[in-house]
Amino acid sequence: MTQSNAASTHGAATGSDSEIRLAVSTVIFALRRAKHPSKKWEIVMPVVRRTRDPHEGKWALPGGWLRASEGLAAAATRTLAETTGLHPAYVEQLYAFGAVERSTTRVVSVVYWALLRADAVRERAELENVEWFAVDGLWGLAFDHDEIVQYALWRLQNKLDYSGIAQGFLPELFTLSDLREVHEAVLNKPLDPANFRRQVESTDEIVSTNEFRKGSHRPARLYRTNIEKGLANHGPLQPESH
Amino acid sequence: MTQSNAASTHGAATGSDSEIRLAVSTVIFALRRAKHPSKKWEIVMPVVRRTRDPHEGKWALPGGWLRASEGLAAAATRTLAETTGLHPAYVEQLYAFGAVERSTTRVVSVVYWALLRADAVRERAELENVEWFAVDGLWGLAFDHDEIVQYALWRLQNKLDYSGIAQGFLPELFTLSDLREVHEAVLNKPLDPANFRRQVESTDEIVSTNEFRKGSHRPARLYRTNIEKGLANHGPLQPESH
């Protein structure tokens, strides 16, 4: 499916009043160096410009119709790859949005959110109709996509409190400062380094290594994700193949 | 939709390979006096016996096809009312289950879970094909409904830690013992009363009243839900009408 089709699927449905179509959309978070000097990183996401009605010309979440032979998470990662050329560090189902009036025909959208590692992201300016925008201040998307983006951001922010999710943005080895800077980007506020260190060291989400990053100051210890804990806990939910 | 139809919708889909049907199913939790003397309450849920293939004769979650003119939460509460004759104290979307092989034709099921207040539940033994079973030890349901039930229970158990969800099982006024007995039923283990009191009093989820319940021991103070907090926090998610 080309990008213009992927962005325009909501206009393609025809059929009887009883037809309900199923779409899968994705909110894809990544880090980018912040333009504003107050913080190091900002959260950005790709959106696609719609080339036909409804909402022609507006930006929308990457997505497309679910295929009969494809699982939900697989549809989400396919969409993500088509839009960014990348594979996510983390994927999770956000919510099924099915208000009767959310589109001109009846469409239920199962939305996934994903994280891309910082060292993997490059802006694909050459990909037609796709642009990356900072999540902070992003409004005016098509359909109910504004609400969806805010809910995904809220989910990510809450997850910081009880999981190692922030590590999904980082390379395999990272310093405590790197991790704090990710939390600051997600929460959009500065964090006290000493408090942050105490908080993180009281969890078992990260594991220290014997490696250090050398820099202009004293070398900083490198950490990695605790593989036994992973990035999040899904209890008895069977992992979806994607 | 009659109960036998509601339980058998998975067998009714026909059409081309590209047809994906959308169902809404419900996991409905309620309290019942426990048979075993070790605890006061047990969590029970209604299930419907299927009257046709696939899985004829097996028990399944209440549910049905989504109607084009109906929202997702509305479909869930309609199903709940058809199966139990009741209205829930709490409804929340659990997850969209859409593995390709979960049914004989392609069905994506958006599952909701709900709580019924203890004083509202009565077993509707006369409703054809519907029975209430204890969640503990409930296996062998049709499709992937075992996994769905376990995930709903896990969600409920986790939610005890950060919300007033347990109050959804109770009447408007309740004692701390009532609340502790609900936690014990959900977690399936005894809780120390003094620790529980300390833990609950450190939250703002309940509000004390000047009313007391008289009994064989000294009167116990009655509490109610803190209306400003409600039973749970959904952030920026727009409430679904149901």
Side-chain angles (χ1 to χ4, degrees):
Chain A
M1 183 180 296
T2 64
Q3 289 314 309
S4 54
N5 282 351
S8 62
T9 47
H10 282 239
T14 56
S16 74
D17 182 57
S18 62
E19 184 176 312
I20 303 170
R21 298 201 70 174
L22 203 45
V24 175
S25 302
T26 52
V27 180
I28 304 161
F29 292 133
L31 295 179
R32 187 176 67 190
R33 290 306 296 267
K35 299 184 170 78
H36 197 277
S38 65
K39 57 188 181 183
K40 183 170 180 182
W41 299 105
E42 59 185 4
I43 307 286
V44 296
M45 56 179 285
V47 286
V48 184
R49 191 191 281 274
R50 291 181 58 73
T51 55
R52 53 165 149 167
D53 279 333
H55 302 295
E56 181 182 346
K58 281 193 158 184
W59 297 94
L61 295 175
W65 300 122
L66 178 68
R67 295 173 183 169
S69 56
E70 177 183 61
L72 295 172
T77 49
R78 172 176 58 78
T79 291
L80 193 155
E82 286 169 356
T83 310
T84 66
L86 299 168
H87 300 287
Y90 183 78
V91 179
E92 181 183 299
Q93 191 183 104
L94 180 70
Y95 200 79
F97 291 87
V100 176
E101 306 300 330
R102 62 187 296 273
S103 187
T104 48
T105 59
R106 185 70 197 279
V107 178
V108 171
S109 195
V110 181
V111 180
Y112 281 74
W113 66 283
L115 297 186
L116 292 173
R117 288 196 190 283
D119 53 355
V121 175
R122 52 203 180 280
E123 290 194 38
R124 298 283 295 267
E126 69 274 17
L127 202 67
E128 212 180 320
N129 292 328
V130 177
E131 283 223 24
W132 295 73
F133 290 109
V135 177
D136 189 34
L138 180 63
W139 294 109
L141 301 179
F143 307 106
D144 52 359
H145 292 187
D146 286 343
E147 177 196 352
I148 294 176
V149 171
Q150 291 309 308
Y151 187 52
L153 181 63
W154 186 77
R155 173 79 68 86
L156 170 61
Q157 290 169 339
N158 278 319
K159 232 172 161 67
L160 286 183
D161 285 343
Y162 60 86
S163 78
I165 196 65
Q167 300 150 45
F169 283 113
L170 294 168
E172 184 188 347
L173 295 174
F174 49 87
T175 64
L176 286 183
S177 289
D178 292 339
L179 191 58
R180 176 176 48 77
E181 287 160 353
V182 171
H183 279 238
E184 290 178 337
V186 171
L187 297 172
N188 207 13
K189 68 180 187 185
L191 298 174
D192 174 72
N195 283 342
F196 182 80
R197 168 184 284 271
R198 264 192 299 275
Q199 182 192 316
V200 168
E201 285 177 344
S202 73
T203 75
D204 54 358
E205 287 158 5
I206 65 174
V207 173
S208 66
T209 71
N210 289 326
E211 298 186 51
F212 290 79
R213 176 182 301 156
K214 296 174 182 45
S216 56
H217 299 281
R218 79 168 174 269
R221 184 179 291 277
L222 289 167
Y223 293 77
R224 58 172 179 77
T225 296
N226 180 352
I227 293 172
E228 286 176 29
K229 288 211 72 182
L231 296 182
N233 177 11
H234 298 292
L237 203 60
Q238 296 297 322
E240 293 188 58
S241 48
H242 60 270
Chain B
M1 185 182 292
T2 66
Q3 287 314 308
S4 53
N5 282 352
S8 62
T9 45
H10 281 239
T14 56
S16 73
D17 182 56
S18 62
E19 184 177 311
I20 303 169
R21 298 200 71 173
L22 204 46
V24 175
S25 301
T26 51
V27 181
I28 304 160
F29 292 133
L31 294 181
R32 184 175 70 188
R33 291 306 298 266
K35 300 185 170 74
H36 198 276
S38 64
K39 56 188 181 183
K40 182 170 179 182
W41 299 104
E42 59 184 4
I43 307 288
V44 295
M45 55 179 288
V47 285
V48 183
R49 192 190 280 273
R50 292 182 57 74
T51 54
R52 53 165 149 164
D53 279 333
H55 302 293
E56 181 183 345
K58 280 192 159 185
W59 297 95
L61 295 175
W65 300 121
L66 178 68
R67 296 173 182 170
S69 56
E70 175 184 62
L72 294 172
T77 50
R78 172 175 59 76
T79 291
L80 193 156
E82 286 169 357
T83 309
T84 67
L86 300 167
H87 299 287
Y90 182 78
V91 179
E92 180 183 300
Q93 191 183 105
L94 179 70
Y95 200 77
F97 291 86
V100 175
E101 304 300 329
R102 60 186 298 274
S103 186
T104 48
T105 57
R106 185 71 196 279
V107 178
V108 172
S109 194
V110 181
V111 180
Y112 281 74
W113 67 283
L115 296 187
L116 293 172
R117 289 195 189 282
D119 54 355
V121 173
R122 54 204 179 281
E123 293 196 37
R124 297 283 296 270
E126 69 273 17
L127 203 66
E128 211 180 317
N129 292 328
V130 179
E131 283 221 27
W132 294 73
F133 290 109
V135 177
D136 190 35
L138 181 64
W139 293 108
L141 301 179
F143 307 106
D144 52 358
H145 292 187
D146 286 344
E147 177 195 352
I148 293 175
V149 171
Q150 292 309 309
Y151 187 50
L153 181 63
W154 186 77
R155 174 79 68 86
L156 170 61
Q157 291 169 336
N158 279 320
K159 230 169 163 67
L160 287 182
D161 286 342
Y162 58 89
S163 77
I165 194 64
Q167 300 151 44
F169 283 112
L170 295 168
E172 184 189 348
L173 295 173
F174 49 86
T175 64
L176 285 183
S177 290
D178 291 340
L179 190 59
R180 175 175 48 77
E181 286 160 355
V182 172
H183 280 238
E184 290 177 336
V186 172
L187 298 172
N188 208 12
K189 67 179 186 186
L191 297 173
D192 173 72
N195 284 341
F196 182 79
R197 168 183 284 270
R198 264 192 298 276
Q199 179 191 316
V200 167
E201 285 177 342
S202 72
T203 74
D204 54 359
E205 287 158 6
I206 65 174
V207 173
S208 68
T209 71
N210 289 325
E211 298 187 50
F212 290 79
R213 177 182 299 156
K214 297 172 182 46
S216 55
H217 300 282
R218 76 169 177 269
R221 184 180 291 277
L222 288 168
Y223 293 77
R224 59 172 178 76
T225 297
N226 179 352
I227 293 172
E228 286 177 27
K229 287 211 76 180
L231 296 182
N233 176 9
H234 298 293
L237 202 62
Q238 295 298 320
E240 294 188 57
S241 48
H242 62 271

